[in-house]
Short mmCIF file of all heavy atoms in Angstrom, two decimals:
data_model
loop_
_atom_site.label_atom_id
_atom_site.label_comp_id
_atom_site.label_asym_id
_atom_site.label_seq_id
_atom_site.Cartn_x
_atom_site.Cartn_y
_atom_site.Cartn_z
N LEU A 1064 -9.33 -12.28 -21.12
CA LEU A 1064 -10.69 -12.24 -20.74
C LEU A 1064 -11.10 -13.20 -19.66
O LEU A 1064 -12.34 -13.15 -19.13
CB LEU A 1064 -11.69 -12.43 -21.93
CG LEU A 1064 -11.45 -11.42 -23.03
CD1 LEU A 1064 -12.38 -11.71 -24.18
CD2 LEU A 1064 -11.64 -10.02 -22.60
N CYS A 1065 -10.23 -14.09 -19.17
CA CYS A 1065 -10.41 -14.94 -18.08
C CYS A 1065 -9.95 -14.41 -16.70
O CYS A 1065 -9.87 -15.15 -15.77
CB CYS A 1065 -9.86 -16.35 -18.37
SG CYS A 1065 -10.55 -17.18 -19.81
N THR A 1066 -9.49 -13.14 -16.66
CA THR A 1066 -8.92 -12.54 -15.47
C THR A 1066 -9.58 -11.29 -15.17
O THR A 1066 -9.91 -10.38 -16.03
CB THR A 1066 -7.38 -12.30 -15.78
OG1 THR A 1066 -6.78 -13.54 -16.04
CG2 THR A 1066 -6.75 -11.59 -14.62
N ILE A 1067 -9.79 -11.07 -13.87
CA ILE A 1067 -10.43 -9.92 -13.28
C ILE A 1067 -9.40 -9.24 -12.40
O ILE A 1067 -8.86 -9.97 -11.61
CB ILE A 1067 -11.70 -10.28 -12.52
CG1 ILE A 1067 -12.57 -11.10 -13.46
CG2 ILE A 1067 -12.44 -9.10 -11.98
CD1 ILE A 1067 -13.53 -12.04 -12.64
N ILE A 1068 -9.20 -7.90 -12.51
CA ILE A 1068 -8.15 -7.24 -11.78
C ILE A 1068 -8.64 -6.07 -11.02
O ILE A 1068 -9.66 -5.52 -11.49
CB ILE A 1068 -6.99 -6.86 -12.73
CG1 ILE A 1068 -7.52 -6.06 -13.94
CG2 ILE A 1068 -6.29 -8.12 -13.23
CD1 ILE A 1068 -6.45 -5.43 -14.81
N SER A 1069 -7.98 -5.69 -9.99
CA SER A 1069 -8.09 -4.39 -9.40
C SER A 1069 -6.66 -3.86 -9.16
O SER A 1069 -5.68 -4.49 -9.50
CB SER A 1069 -8.99 -4.52 -8.08
OG SER A 1069 -8.16 -5.21 -7.10
N ASP A 1070 -6.57 -2.76 -8.33
CA ASP A 1070 -5.21 -2.32 -8.04
C ASP A 1070 -4.37 -3.36 -7.24
O ASP A 1070 -3.13 -3.32 -7.28
CB ASP A 1070 -5.39 -0.99 -7.21
CG ASP A 1070 -5.75 0.12 -8.03
OD1 ASP A 1070 -5.76 0.03 -9.25
OD2 ASP A 1070 -6.37 1.20 -7.48
N SER A 1071 -4.99 -4.14 -6.38
CA SER A 1071 -4.24 -5.01 -5.51
C SER A 1071 -4.70 -6.48 -5.57
O SER A 1071 -4.22 -7.26 -4.74
CB SER A 1071 -4.31 -4.54 -4.06
OG SER A 1071 -5.57 -4.40 -3.65
N CYS A 1072 -5.59 -6.82 -6.44
CA CYS A 1072 -6.10 -8.14 -6.43
C CYS A 1072 -6.19 -8.71 -7.83
O CYS A 1072 -6.53 -7.93 -8.79
CB CYS A 1072 -7.46 -8.20 -5.75
SG CYS A 1072 -8.21 -9.81 -5.52
N LYS A 1073 -5.98 -9.95 -7.98
CA LYS A 1073 -6.25 -10.54 -9.32
C LYS A 1073 -7.01 -11.87 -9.11
O LYS A 1073 -6.71 -12.67 -8.34
CB LYS A 1073 -4.87 -10.91 -9.90
CG LYS A 1073 -4.95 -11.58 -11.41
CD LYS A 1073 -3.59 -11.96 -11.88
CE LYS A 1073 -2.72 -10.79 -12.30
NZ LYS A 1073 -1.43 -11.27 -12.99
N ILE A 1074 -8.10 -12.02 -9.96
CA ILE A 1074 -8.88 -13.19 -10.03
C ILE A 1074 -8.76 -13.93 -11.26
O ILE A 1074 -9.06 -13.34 -12.29
CB ILE A 1074 -10.37 -12.91 -9.60
CG1 ILE A 1074 -10.52 -12.13 -8.26
CG2 ILE A 1074 -11.17 -14.15 -9.49
CD1 ILE A 1074 -11.84 -11.57 -8.00
N MET A 1075 -8.37 -15.13 -11.25
CA MET A 1075 -8.02 -15.81 -12.58
C MET A 1075 -8.88 -17.16 -12.65
O MET A 1075 -8.99 -17.83 -11.66
CB MET A 1075 -6.51 -16.14 -12.77
CG MET A 1075 -5.60 -14.94 -12.51
SD MET A 1075 -3.94 -15.37 -12.97
CE MET A 1075 -4.18 -15.55 -14.75
N VAL A 1076 -9.35 -17.40 -13.79
CA VAL A 1076 -10.04 -18.65 -14.04
C VAL A 1076 -9.18 -19.50 -14.98
O VAL A 1076 -8.97 -19.15 -16.17
CB VAL A 1076 -11.49 -18.47 -14.74
CG1 VAL A 1076 -12.29 -19.64 -14.81
CG2 VAL A 1076 -12.37 -17.33 -13.82
N ILE A 1077 -8.92 -20.73 -14.45
CA ILE A 1077 -8.01 -21.62 -15.27
C ILE A 1077 -8.71 -22.97 -15.22
O ILE A 1077 -9.59 -23.37 -14.32
CB ILE A 1077 -6.64 -21.66 -14.77
CG1 ILE A 1077 -6.49 -22.16 -13.43
CG2 ILE A 1077 -5.96 -20.31 -14.94
CD1 ILE A 1077 -5.06 -22.35 -12.90
N GLY A 1078 -8.26 -23.90 -16.08
CA GLY A 1078 -8.91 -25.30 -16.27
C GLY A 1078 -8.11 -26.32 -15.56
O GLY A 1078 -6.81 -26.26 -15.51
#
Side-chain angles (χ1 to χ4, degrees):
L1064 299 180
C1065 297
T1066 298
I1067 306 153
I1068 56 174
S1069 72
D1070 288 341
S1071 58
C1072 183
K1073 180 187 287 187
I1074 305 168
M1075 307 189 71
V1076 185
I1077 62 173

